[in-house]
Amino acid sequence: MTNQRILSHFHESAEIKIQSATVLAQPIAQAVELMFSALSNGNKILACGNGGSAADAQHFAAELVGRFERERFPLPAISLATDTSILTAVANDYSYREIFSKQVQAYGQAGDILLAISTSGNSANVMAAIEAALEREMRVVALTGKTGGAIGKMLTDADVHICVPAERTARIQEVHLLTIHCLCDGIDVALFGGDVNE
């Protein structure tokens, strides 16, 4: 019984990824173009999310500052979910809704990118970060799921919405991770061309 349950997780994950591939290929390509353009112009990428999405924000920043699959110079990316002193001070002194938006106001500049991650599309603090980013003339790449929630309605035509066509949070997060790897690979290919093994 346990083995069958494990197999069902793998099969469902694989099926959702295959279904998502056709729907998400174009917006992922648009996000790569947006991010590469920003990085080429000396701008940076800020990333935020809660829980598993916070881990994804960290993962993305680590791949850019360190490396993805090939040696290259560090690229400027910051996870807004990692500084516990900022997070707890802002949550305590203001509200939890502002833990990311205050950092966007502090670090964000016109031309920067906000990678906003929310499986439901309804995370209040991620929405506040998007509001702050748009006020600063930043562009937004939103990773969501389900119907895209309120975040999907906030984005402008200049932003990119990558909405996983799934309902289950775990499956959405799994596709978000694959999407992050696609973004990192796309940025590297845009920078250097070709394949990592060439």
Side-chain angles (χ1 to χ4, degrees), residues 32 36 68 180-191:
V32 167
F36 172 69
F68 180 54
I180 285 166
H181 285 162
C182 288
L183 294 172
C184 294
D185 176 68
I187 290 166
D188 278 1
V189 169
L191 281 169

Side-chain angles (χ1 to χ4, degrees), residues 2-63:
T2 301
N3 282 1
Q4 189 55 47
R5 190 172 181 86
I6 291 166
L7 286 170
S8 73
H9 280 290
F10 273 85
H11 291 154
E12 185 180 69
S13 183
E15 286 167 15
I16 293 292
K17 284 173 181 158
I18 290 165
Q19 291 167 16
S20 298
T22 307
V23 178
L24 301 184
Q26 184 58 35
I28 291 172
Q30 291 171 336
V32 167
E33 189 176 326
L34 202 62
M35 289 177 168
F36 172 69
S37 177
L39 293 168
S40 298
N41 289 326
N43 290 101
K44 62 189 168 297
I45 303 173
L46 306 179
C48 67
N50 297 285
S53 298
D56 286 340
Q58 278 184 253
H59 187 147
F60 175 79
E63 302 281 28

Side-chain angles (χ1 to χ4, degrees), residues 43-116:
N43 290 101
K44 62 189 168 297
I45 303 173
L46 306 179
C48 67
N50 297 285
S53 298
D56 286 340
Q58 278 184 253
H59 187 147
F60 175 79
E63 302 281 28
L64 262 63
V65 174
R67 66 167 182 232
F68 180 54
E69 289 187 325
R70 66 177 87 188
E71 290 297 333
R72 57 152 165 75
F73 48 85
L75 298 171
I78 303 169
S79 168
L80 305 182
T82 55
D83 190 321
T84 55
S85 293
I86 291 175
L87 297 175
T88 55
V90 173
N92 184 64
D93 296 346
Y94 298 93
S95 74
Y96 192 75
R97 187 180 187 276
E98 297 179 68
I99 61 169
F100 301 136
S101 60
K102 288 243 181 236
Q103 294 183 79
V104 171
Q105 291 166 345
Y107 306 135
Q109 297 176 332
D112 288 347
I113 305 289
L114 176 68
L115 176 61

